Amino acid sequence: MTTVLSLSVDPALDRRAPNQQIWPLTATVTEAGHLAIGGCDVVDLVARFGSPLYILDETTVRAACQQYQASLARLYPQAPHRVLYASKAWSCLAVCALVAQEGLYIDAVSAGELLTAVEAGVPGDRIYFHGNNKSHDELRYALELGVTVVADNWHDLQGLRELAGDRRPRVMLRVTPGIECHTHEYIRTGHLDSKFGFDPNEMPAVLEFAAQRNWEVVGLHAHIGSQIFELQAHRDIAEALVSWYRQGRETYGLPFTELNVGGGLGIRYTEADDPPTIAEWVEAVVTGLGKAWEGSGLPWPTLVCEPGRSLIGPACVTAYTVGSQKTVPGVRTYIAVDGGMSDNPRPITYQSRYSALLANRPTATAATVVTVAGKHCESGDVLLRDVLLPAPASGDILVVASTGAYNYSMASHYNRLPKIAAVLVNQGEANLILRRETPADLLRQDCLPDRLRG
Ligand code: LLP
């Protein structure tokens, strides 16, 4: 068997950091010369489940979950830890249930994400509820479920005061830490000019307000951004929060026990990306916490983190079928696939780059530079610009790597394309986890007033 991608098909968990791999840990080439993920031939999967198709590798998700858990257990033995899956990266029943099986908690940011976690079997006391503009309906639902509400602003605090009634909400306070980091400006959140969290100047008033309530105010939260490679920014988080943590406990008598450092670890989309491993990220966070806490007399907090992209991003690939082509002489060749910005809005939104290969001949020499376009009525609907591939032809199965995070979750119906299906693969078995929508599904919410009927 020729293997160009990875030697591992061992489901007993590979120790390589998934976020440093472009392809899922189980990617191999079959004897038929096809790409296989999770022991399933990708060409067969497309024949069986249709195209385009998200293919999610269970081994890679579990490995990432286990690396966060094991690194925290090893590097932070002083106190308990909690790993929350930031479900905004990919919220659906199967993904929530899978990470929950690995012992992870869930971070949800809307009634829809809360419902998904609950329906996946996650109890309310294992869910944290985020968001910078929670509606009263969402807060009411969160209170009924007994989740931890991460208060982002005064609107949340006042909403909780109005709605709590006899309940004693479990609350965490989100602070804007004032930490700059290098990533796309749309996904930076830690700098002071951010819509998220309390400005540090407001913290004394926030702590005082929280102390006057009969709430279980468990600690502080900060998140500095996403797709981050530099460790220093994450090393600095505890330092940015320690004085508010101390004031909360000592001046206002708040029962703080948790410090939530958010998510943000980046992943490798192309060879040019060089993210640290999950263990290195945990080490940076723990080192920063050690420095900030040592000698403070404060008890070690429960360390909470909430990764999304690094847990789910590298585990998924999207398979498309190649259709039309257009060569602009002396300029470029466009290869069009049967999906595009509706199943992966990241290139058009953040100019994100991806890696790809042909599943029906992954080992063929990649000698042709092409631009892979989607099928949407928009010139910017380009999935990969100037990539080397083995001269794709109509009918080839083109597979894009690292599409697990913020692809399905940001998918749209642009041009009235139905959302695509997803399968979970493991040891040769493939299970449908998201049914493919049909054009008729798109009409389900449409209403046609009588006076417009022909
Ligand atoms: N916690 C909070 C409060 C967050 O806002 C986020 C992501 C996370 C955790 C998880 O961050 P991660 O580990 O995934 O970096 N749509 C963008 C990413 C937006 C990130 C939003 N917040 C993208 O496709 O790149």
Short mmCIF file of all heavy atoms in Angstrom, two decimals, residues 102-162:
data_model
loop_
_atom_site.label_atom_id
_atom_site.label_comp_id
_atom_site.label_asym_id
_atom_site.label_seq_id
_atom_site.Cartn_x
_atom_site.Cartn_y
_atom_site.Cartn_z
N GLU A 102 -15.99 12.43 25.49
CA GLU A 102 -14.58 12.58 25.87
C GLU A 102 -14.43 13.39 27.16
O GLU A 102 -13.33 13.78 27.53
CB GLU A 102 -13.79 13.25 24.74
CG GLU A 102 -13.55 12.33 23.54
CD GLU A 102 -12.68 11.11 23.88
OE1 GLU A 102 -11.83 11.22 24.79
OE2 GLU A 102 -12.87 10.07 23.25
N GLY A 103 -15.55 13.73 27.79
CA GLY A 103 -15.49 14.43 29.08
C GLY A 103 -15.46 15.95 28.95
O GLY A 103 -15.21 16.65 29.93
N LEU A 104 -15.69 16.47 27.74
CA LEU A 104 -15.66 17.91 27.58
C LEU A 104 -17.00 18.53 27.96
O LEU A 104 -18.05 17.89 27.87
CB LEU A 104 -15.33 18.28 26.12
CG LEU A 104 -13.84 18.47 25.81
CD1 LEU A 104 -13.05 17.22 26.12
CD2 LEU A 104 -13.63 18.90 24.37
N TYR A 105 -16.94 19.79 28.38
CA TYR A 105 -18.12 20.62 28.61
C TYR A 105 -18.42 21.33 27.29
O TYR A 105 -17.64 21.26 26.35
CB TYR A 105 -17.85 21.66 29.70
CG TYR A 105 -17.67 21.08 31.09
CD1 TYR A 105 -16.64 20.19 31.39
CD2 TYR A 105 -18.52 21.47 32.13
CE1 TYR A 105 -16.49 19.68 32.67
CE2 TYR A 105 -18.35 20.97 33.42
CZ TYR A 105 -17.34 20.07 33.68
OH TYR A 105 -17.19 19.58 34.94
N ILE A 106 -19.55 22.05 27.23
CA ILE A 106 -19.91 22.75 26.00
C ILE A 106 -20.04 24.25 26.26
O ILE A 106 -20.64 24.67 27.26
CB ILE A 106 -21.27 22.23 25.45
CG1 ILE A 106 -21.20 20.73 25.13
CG2 ILE A 106 -21.71 23.04 24.22
CD1 ILE A 106 -20.42 20.35 23.90
N ASP A 107 -19.47 25.04 25.35
CA ASP A 107 -19.70 26.49 25.34
C ASP A 107 -20.69 26.76 24.21
O ASP A 107 -20.48 26.35 23.07
CB ASP A 107 -18.33 27.17 25.14
CG ASP A 107 -18.33 28.47 24.34
OD1 ASP A 107 -19.40 29.04 24.09
OD2 ASP A 107 -17.22 28.91 23.97
N ALA A 108 -21.82 27.40 24.57
CA ALA A 108 -22.87 27.70 23.59
C ALA A 108 -23.13 29.20 23.60
O ALA A 108 -22.94 29.86 24.62
CB ALA A 108 -24.15 26.94 23.97
N VAL A 109 -23.57 29.74 22.46
CA VAL A 109 -23.74 31.20 22.38
C VAL A 109 -25.13 31.63 21.90
O VAL A 109 -25.32 32.80 21.58
CB VAL A 109 -22.69 31.85 21.45
CG1 VAL A 109 -21.30 31.64 21.97
CG2 VAL A 109 -22.82 31.34 20.03
N SER A 110 -26.07 30.70 21.82
CA SER A 110 -27.41 31.07 21.38
C SER A 110 -28.37 29.99 21.88
O SER A 110 -27.93 28.90 22.29
CB SER A 110 -27.47 31.11 19.85
OG SER A 110 -27.26 29.81 19.34
N ALA A 111 -29.68 30.30 21.79
CA ALA A 111 -30.66 29.29 22.18
C ALA A 111 -30.49 28.04 21.30
O ALA A 111 -30.65 26.91 21.77
CB ALA A 111 -32.07 29.86 22.04
N GLY A 112 -30.14 28.24 20.04
CA GLY A 112 -29.96 27.11 19.14
C GLY A 112 -28.81 26.21 19.55
O GLY A 112 -28.92 24.98 19.56
N GLU A 113 -27.69 26.83 19.91
CA GLU A 113 -26.55 26.01 20.36
C GLU A 113 -26.84 25.37 21.72
O GLU A 113 -26.41 24.23 21.98
CB GLU A 113 -25.27 26.86 20.43
CG GLU A 113 -24.68 27.16 19.05
CD GLU A 113 -23.35 27.89 19.08
OE1 GLU A 113 -22.78 28.10 20.17
OE2 GLU A 113 -22.86 28.26 17.99
N LEU A 114 -27.58 26.08 22.59
CA LEU A 114 -27.95 25.48 23.88
C LEU A 114 -28.82 24.25 23.65
O LEU A 114 -28.56 23.17 24.20
CB LEU A 114 -28.73 26.49 24.74
CG LEU A 114 -27.93 27.60 25.42
CD1 LEU A 114 -28.88 28.64 26.04
CD2 LEU A 114 -27.00 27.05 26.50
N LEU A 115 -29.83 24.42 22.80
CA LEU A 115 -30.76 23.31 22.52
C LEU A 115 -30.00 22.11 21.93
O LEU A 115 -30.24 20.96 22.30
CB LEU A 115 -31.84 23.78 21.55
CG LEU A 115 -32.83 22.71 21.09
CD1 LEU A 115 -33.73 22.28 22.25
CD2 LEU A 115 -33.69 23.21 19.93
N THR A 116 -29.07 22.40 21.03
CA THR A 116 -28.32 21.31 20.39
C THR A 116 -27.52 20.53 21.44
O THR A 116 -27.53 19.29 21.45
CB THR A 116 -27.38 21.88 19.31
OG1 THR A 116 -28.15 22.67 18.41
CG2 THR A 116 -26.68 20.78 18.54
N ALA A 117 -26.88 21.26 22.35
CA ALA A 117 -26.08 20.58 23.38
C ALA A 117 -26.99 19.74 24.27
O ALA A 117 -26.69 18.57 24.57
CB ALA A 117 -25.31 21.61 24.20
N VAL A 118 -28.12 20.33 24.67
CA VAL A 118 -29.04 19.62 25.58
C VAL A 118 -29.60 18.37 24.90
O VAL A 118 -29.64 17.28 25.48
CB VAL A 118 -30.18 20.58 26.02
CG1 VAL A 118 -31.29 19.82 26.72
CG2 VAL A 118 -29.62 21.66 26.92
N GLU A 119 -30.01 18.53 23.63
CA GLU A 119 -30.58 17.39 22.91
C GLU A 119 -29.53 16.31 22.63
O GLU A 119 -29.86 15.15 22.40
CB GLU A 119 -31.21 17.85 21.59
CG GLU A 119 -32.48 18.65 21.78
CD GLU A 119 -33.62 17.81 22.36
OE1 GLU A 119 -33.89 16.73 21.84
OE2 GLU A 119 -34.21 18.25 23.37
N ALA A 120 -28.26 16.72 22.64
CA ALA A 120 -27.19 15.73 22.47
C ALA A 120 -26.92 15.00 23.78
O ALA A 120 -26.08 14.10 23.84
CB ALA A 120 -25.92 16.43 21.98
N GLY A 121 -27.60 15.40 24.84
CA GLY A 121 -27.47 14.69 26.12
C GLY A 121 -26.54 15.37 27.12
O GLY A 121 -26.18 14.77 28.13
N VAL A 122 -26.15 16.62 26.83
CA VAL A 122 -25.24 17.30 27.76
C VAL A 122 -26.08 17.98 28.86
O VAL A 122 -26.96 18.79 28.55
CB VAL A 122 -24.40 18.37 27.01
CG1 VAL A 122 -23.41 19.05 27.96
CG2 VAL A 122 -23.66 17.74 25.82
N PRO A 123 -25.82 17.66 30.14
CA PRO A 123 -26.61 18.28 31.21
C PRO A 123 -26.27 19.77 31.35
O PRO A 123 -25.15 20.20 31.03
CB PRO A 123 -26.20 17.51 32.46
CG PRO A 123 -25.06 16.64 32.10
CD PRO A 123 -24.85 16.67 30.61
N GLY A 124 -27.23 20.55 31.84
CA GLY A 124 -27.05 22.00 31.98
C GLY A 124 -25.83 22.38 32.78
O GLY A 124 -25.16 23.37 32.48
N ASP A 125 -25.49 21.58 33.80
CA ASP A 125 -24.34 21.98 34.62
C ASP A 125 -23.01 21.70 33.91
O ASP A 125 -21.95 21.94 34.47
CB ASP A 125 -24.39 21.32 36.00
CG ASP A 125 -24.33 19.81 35.94
OD1 ASP A 125 -24.19 19.24 34.83
OD2 ASP A 125 -24.43 19.16 37.01
N ARG A 126 -23.07 21.22 32.66
CA ARG A 126 -21.84 21.07 31.87
C ARG A 126 -21.85 21.99 30.66
O ARG A 126 -21.15 21.76 29.67
CB ARG A 126 -21.66 19.60 31.45
CG ARG A 126 -21.46 18.67 32.67
CD ARG A 126 -21.24 17.23 32.25
NE ARG A 126 -19.94 17.02 31.67
CZ ARG A 126 -18.84 16.70 32.35
NH1 ARG A 126 -18.88 16.62 33.66
NH2 ARG A 126 -17.70 16.49 31.73
N ILE A 127 -22.65 23.07 30.75
CA ILE A 127 -22.74 24.01 29.64
C ILE A 127 -22.46 25.43 30.14
O ILE A 127 -22.92 25.81 31.22
CB ILE A 127 -24.14 23.97 28.99
CG1 ILE A 127 -24.46 22.55 28.47
CG2 ILE A 127 -24.26 24.98 27.86
CD1 ILE A 127 -25.87 22.37 27.94
N TYR A 128 -21.71 26.20 29.36
CA TYR A 128 -21.46 27.62 29.64
C TYR A 128 -22.11 28.41 28.51
O TYR A 128 -21.98 28.04 27.35
CB TYR A 128 -19.95 27.93 29.68
CG TYR A 128 -19.26 27.41 30.93
CD1 TYR A 128 -19.24 26.05 31.24
CD2 TYR A 128 -18.63 28.29 31.81
CE1 TYR A 128 -18.62 25.58 32.39
CE2 TYR A 128 -17.99 27.83 32.96
CZ TYR A 128 -17.99 26.48 33.24
OH TYR A 128 -17.37 26.01 34.38
N PHE A 129 -22.78 29.51 28.90
CA PHE A 129 -23.53 30.28 27.91
C PHE A 129 -22.91 31.65 27.70
O PHE A 129 -22.90 32.49 28.59
CB PHE A 129 -24.99 30.41 28.38
CG PHE A 129 -25.88 31.12 27.40
CD1 PHE A 129 -25.77 30.91 26.03
CD2 PHE A 129 -26.85 32.02 27.86
CE1 PHE A 129 -26.59 31.57 25.13
CE2 PHE A 129 -27.67 32.68 26.95
CZ PHE A 129 -27.55 32.47 25.60
N HIS A 130 -22.38 31.86 26.50
CA HIS A 130 -21.72 33.11 26.12
C HIS A 130 -22.62 33.98 25.27
O HIS A 130 -23.68 33.54 24.82
CB HIS A 130 -20.50 32.77 25.26
CG HIS A 130 -19.25 32.55 26.04
ND1 HIS A 130 -18.57 33.58 26.63
CD2 HIS A 130 -18.54 31.43 26.29
CE1 HIS A 130 -17.49 33.09 27.22
NE2 HIS A 130 -17.46 31.78 27.04
N GLY A 131 -22.13 35.14 24.89
CA GLY A 131 -22.81 35.99 23.91
C GLY A 131 -22.80 37.44 24.35
O GLY A 131 -22.93 37.72 25.54
N ASN A 132 -22.65 38.35 23.39
CA ASN A 132 -22.57 39.77 23.74
C ASN A 132 -23.93 40.46 23.66
O ASN A 132 -24.03 41.64 23.93
CB ASN A 132 -21.57 40.50 22.83
CG ASN A 132 -22.13 40.66 21.43
OD1 ASN A 132 -22.57 39.71 20.82
ND2 ASN A 132 -22.13 41.88 20.92
N ASN A 133 -24.98 39.72 23.28
CA ASN A 133 -26.31 40.34 23.26
C ASN A 133 -27.37 39.25 23.46
O ASN A 133 -28.16 38.97 22.57
CB ASN A 133 -26.54 41.09 21.95
CG ASN A 133 -27.79 41.95 22.02
OD1 ASN A 133 -28.29 42.25 23.10
ND2 ASN A 133 -28.31 42.32 20.86
N LYS A 134 -27.33 38.67 24.65
CA LYS A 134 -28.28 37.58 24.95
C LYS A 134 -29.67 38.18 25.09
O LYS A 134 -29.85 39.18 25.79
CB LYS A 134 -27.87 36.89 26.27
CG LYS A 134 -26.44 36.35 26.28
CD LYS A 134 -26.09 35.81 27.66
CE LYS A 134 -24.65 35.36 27.79
NZ LYS A 134 -23.68 36.49 27.96
N SER A 135 -30.64 37.56 24.47
CA SER A 135 -32.01 38.06 24.62
C SER A 135 -32.57 37.56 25.95
O SER A 135 -32.05 36.63 26.55
CB SER A 135 -32.88 37.55 23.47
OG SER A 135 -33.09 36.15 23.64
N HIS A 136 -33.66 38.18 26.37
CA HIS A 136 -34.28 37.73 27.62
C HIS A 136 -34.80 36.30 27.48
O HIS A 136 -34.73 35.52 28.42
CB HIS A 136 -35.39 38.70 28.03
CG HIS A 136 -34.87 39.85 28.84
ND1 HIS A 136 -35.63 40.63 29.66
CD2 HIS A 136 -33.60 40.34 28.96
CE1 HIS A 136 -34.88 41.53 30.25
NE2 HIS A 136 -33.64 41.39 29.82
N ASP A 137 -35.29 35.96 26.30
CA ASP A 137 -35.74 34.57 26.09
C ASP A 137 -34.56 33.60 26.26
O ASP A 137 -34.70 32.53 26.85
CB ASP A 137 -36.33 34.41 24.69
CG ASP A 137 -37.75 34.96 24.61
OD1 ASP A 137 -38.32 35.26 25.68
OD2 ASP A 137 -38.27 35.11 23.49
N GLU A 138 -33.43 33.99 25.70
CA GLU A 138 -32.25 33.10 25.82
C GLU A 138 -31.81 33.00 27.29
O GLU A 138 -31.47 31.91 27.78
CB GLU A 138 -31.11 33.64 24.96
CG GLU A 138 -31.34 33.39 23.46
CD GLU A 138 -30.26 34.03 22.59
OE1 GLU A 138 -29.79 35.14 22.91
OE2 GLU A 138 -29.91 33.42 21.57
N LEU A 139 -31.82 34.14 27.99
CA LEU A 139 -31.40 34.11 29.40
C LEU A 139 -32.36 33.26 30.23
O LEU A 139 -31.94 32.48 31.09
CB LEU A 139 -31.36 35.52 29.98
CG LEU A 139 -30.06 36.31 29.76
CD1 LEU A 139 -30.18 37.68 30.40
CD2 LEU A 139 -28.84 35.57 30.30
N ARG A 140 -33.67 33.39 29.94
CA ARG A 140 -34.67 32.60 30.66
C ARG A 140 -34.41 31.10 30.45
O ARG A 140 -34.43 30.30 31.38
CB ARG A 140 -36.07 32.95 30.12
CG ARG A 140 -37.02 33.34 31.20
CD ARG A 140 -38.37 33.79 30.64
NE ARG A 140 -38.51 35.23 30.67
CZ ARG A 140 -38.70 36.00 29.60
NH1 ARG A 140 -38.80 35.48 28.41
NH2 ARG A 140 -38.79 37.31 29.73
N TYR A 141 -34.15 30.74 29.20
CA TYR A 141 -33.87 29.34 28.85
C TYR A 141 -32.59 28.86 29.57
O TYR A 141 -32.56 27.77 30.15
CB TYR A 141 -33.73 29.25 27.33
CG TYR A 141 -33.50 27.86 26.76
CD1 TYR A 141 -34.18 26.75 27.25
CD2 TYR A 141 -32.62 27.68 25.69
CE1 TYR A 141 -33.96 25.49 26.70
CE2 TYR A 141 -32.40 26.43 25.14
CZ TYR A 141 -33.07 25.33 25.65
OH TYR A 141 -32.87 24.10 25.11
N ALA A 142 -31.59 29.73 29.56
CA ALA A 142 -30.32 29.37 30.22
C ALA A 142 -30.54 29.14 31.71
O ALA A 142 -29.99 28.20 32.30
CB ALA A 142 -29.30 30.48 30.00
N LEU A 143 -31.38 29.99 32.32
CA LEU A 143 -31.65 29.85 33.76
C LEU A 143 -32.41 28.55 34.03
O LEU A 143 -32.11 27.84 35.00
CB LEU A 143 -32.45 31.05 34.26
CG LEU A 143 -31.63 32.36 34.38
CD1 LEU A 143 -32.56 33.56 34.52
CD2 LEU A 143 -30.66 32.27 35.56
N GLU A 144 -33.36 28.23 33.15
CA GLU A 144 -34.11 26.97 33.32
C GLU A 144 -33.18 25.77 33.24
O GLU A 144 -33.32 24.79 33.96
CB GLU A 144 -35.14 26.81 32.19
CG GLU A 144 -36.46 27.43 32.47
CD GLU A 144 -37.28 27.56 31.18
OE1 GLU A 144 -37.10 26.73 30.26
OE2 GLU A 144 -38.06 28.53 31.10
N LEU A 145 -32.22 25.85 32.33
CA LEU A 145 -31.29 24.72 32.14
C LEU A 145 -30.25 24.63 33.25
O LEU A 145 -29.60 23.60 33.42
CB LEU A 145 -30.57 24.85 30.79
CG LEU A 145 -31.41 24.74 29.53
CD1 LEU A 145 -30.57 25.05 28.29
CD2 LEU A 145 -32.01 23.34 29.40
N GLY A 146 -30.04 25.73 33.96
CA GLY A 146 -29.04 25.74 35.03
C GLY A 146 -27.61 25.78 34.50
O GLY A 146 -26.69 25.25 35.12
N VAL A 147 -27.44 26.43 33.34
CA VAL A 147 -26.08 26.53 32.79
C VAL A 147 -25.32 27.66 33.47
O VAL A 147 -25.92 28.47 34.17
CB VAL A 147 -26.12 26.78 31.25
CG1 VAL A 147 -26.98 25.75 30.55
CG2 VAL A 147 -26.63 28.19 30.93
N THR A 148 -24.01 27.71 33.27
CA THR A 148 -23.23 28.85 33.75
C THR A 148 -23.36 29.97 32.73
O THR A 148 -23.08 29.76 31.54
CB THR A 148 -21.74 28.46 33.88
OG1 THR A 148 -21.64 27.34 34.76
CG2 THR A 148 -20.90 29.62 34.40
N VAL A 149 -23.82 31.14 33.17
CA VAL A 149 -23.98 32.26 32.25
C VAL A 149 -22.73 33.13 32.32
O VAL A 149 -22.35 33.59 33.40
CB VAL A 149 -25.22 33.11 32.63
CG1 VAL A 149 -25.33 34.34 31.73
CG2 VAL A 149 -26.49 32.26 32.55
N VAL A 150 -22.08 33.30 31.18
CA VAL A 150 -20.89 34.17 31.15
C VAL A 150 -21.40 35.58 30.83
O VAL A 150 -21.75 35.88 29.69
CB VAL A 150 -19.86 33.70 30.11
CG1 VAL A 150 -18.61 34.56 30.18
CG2 VAL A 150 -19.52 32.23 30.33
N ALA A 151 -21.47 36.42 31.87
CA ALA A 151 -22.02 37.77 31.68
C ALA A 151 -21.00 38.62 30.93
O ALA A 151 -19.85 38.72 31.34
CB ALA A 151 -22.34 38.38 33.04
N ASP A 152 -21.47 39.20 29.83
CA ASP A 152 -20.59 39.91 28.92
C ASP A 152 -20.67 41.43 29.14
O ASP A 152 -19.78 42.17 28.75
CB ASP A 152 -21.03 39.58 27.48
CG ASP A 152 -19.95 39.77 26.44
OD1 ASP A 152 -19.79 40.89 25.96
OD2 ASP A 152 -19.28 38.78 26.12
N ASN A 153 -21.79 41.87 29.73
CA ASN A 153 -22.05 43.32 29.81
C ASN A 153 -23.17 43.57 30.83
O ASN A 153 -23.74 42.65 31.38
CB ASN A 153 -22.44 43.85 28.43
CG ASN A 153 -23.49 42.96 27.79
OD1 ASN A 153 -24.47 42.59 28.43
ND2 ASN A 153 -23.27 42.57 26.53
N TRP A 154 -23.50 44.86 31.01
CA TRP A 154 -24.54 45.24 31.98
C TRP A 154 -25.90 44.71 31.58
O TRP A 154 -26.75 44.40 32.43
CB TRP A 154 -24.58 46.77 32.13
CG TRP A 154 -23.38 47.27 32.88
CD1 TRP A 154 -22.29 47.89 32.36
CD2 TRP A 154 -23.15 47.15 34.29
NE1 TRP A 154 -21.38 48.17 33.35
CE2 TRP A 154 -21.89 47.73 34.56
CE3 TRP A 154 -23.88 46.61 35.35
CZ2 TRP A 154 -21.35 47.78 35.84
CZ3 TRP A 154 -23.34 46.67 36.64
CH2 TRP A 154 -22.09 47.25 36.87
N HIS A 155 -26.14 44.63 30.28
CA HIS A 155 -27.41 44.09 29.79
C HIS A 155 -27.63 42.68 30.36
O HIS A 155 -28.73 42.34 30.80
CB HIS A 155 -27.33 44.08 28.26
CG HIS A 155 -28.55 43.59 27.56
ND1 HIS A 155 -29.71 44.32 27.49
CD2 HIS A 155 -28.79 42.43 26.89
CE1 HIS A 155 -30.61 43.64 26.81
NE2 HIS A 155 -30.08 42.49 26.42
N ASP A 156 -26.59 41.88 30.36
CA ASP A 156 -26.68 40.53 30.93
C ASP A 156 -26.94 40.58 32.43
O ASP A 156 -27.78 39.84 32.96
CB ASP A 156 -25.37 39.76 30.71
CG ASP A 156 -25.22 39.25 29.29
OD1 ASP A 156 -26.20 39.31 28.52
OD2 ASP A 156 -24.11 38.79 28.95
N LEU A 157 -26.18 41.43 33.13
CA LEU A 157 -26.33 41.47 34.59
C LEU A 157 -27.73 41.92 34.98
O LEU A 157 -28.36 41.36 35.87
CB LEU A 157 -25.27 42.40 35.21
CG LEU A 157 -23.81 41.93 35.08
CD1 LEU A 157 -22.86 42.95 35.71
CD2 LEU A 157 -23.61 40.57 35.75
N GLN A 158 -28.22 42.96 34.27
CA GLN A 158 -29.56 43.43 34.58
C GLN A 158 -30.61 42.39 34.20
O GLN A 158 -31.58 42.17 34.93
CB GLN A 158 -29.82 44.78 33.90
CG GLN A 158 -29.26 45.91 34.75
CD GLN A 158 -28.66 47.04 33.92
OE1 GLN A 158 -28.79 47.05 32.71
NE2 GLN A 158 -28.00 47.97 34.59
N GLY A 159 -30.40 41.73 33.07
CA GLY A 159 -31.33 40.67 32.64
C GLY A 159 -31.37 39.55 33.68
O GLY A 159 -32.45 39.07 34.04
N LEU A 160 -30.24 39.17 34.18
CA LEU A 160 -30.20 38.10 35.18
C LEU A 160 -30.92 38.54 36.45
O LEU A 160 -31.67 37.77 37.06
CB LEU A 160 -28.74 37.74 35.52
CG LEU A 160 -28.00 36.89 34.48
CD1 LEU A 160 -26.52 36.80 34.83
CD2 LEU A 160 -28.61 35.48 34.42
N ARG A 161 -30.71 39.80 36.83
CA ARG A 161 -31.37 40.31 38.04
C ARG A 161 -32.90 40.26 37.87
O ARG A 161 -33.62 39.81 38.76
CB ARG A 161 -30.92 41.73 38.34
CG ARG A 161 -31.57 42.25 39.62
CD ARG A 161 -31.00 43.55 40.08
NE ARG A 161 -31.15 44.59 39.07
CZ ARG A 161 -30.81 45.86 39.26
NH1 ARG A 161 -30.25 46.22 40.40
NH2 ARG A 161 -30.97 46.75 38.32
N GLU A 162 -33.36 40.65 36.68
CA GLU A 162 -34.81 40.66 36.45
C GLU A 162 -35.39 39.26 36.38
O GLU A 162 -36.52 39.03 36.79
CB GLU A 162 -35.11 41.32 35.09
CG GLU A 162 -35.27 42.81 35.14
CD GLU A 162 -35.37 43.39 33.74
OE1 GLU A 162 -36.15 42.85 32.92
OE2 GLU A 162 -34.63 44.35 33.47
#
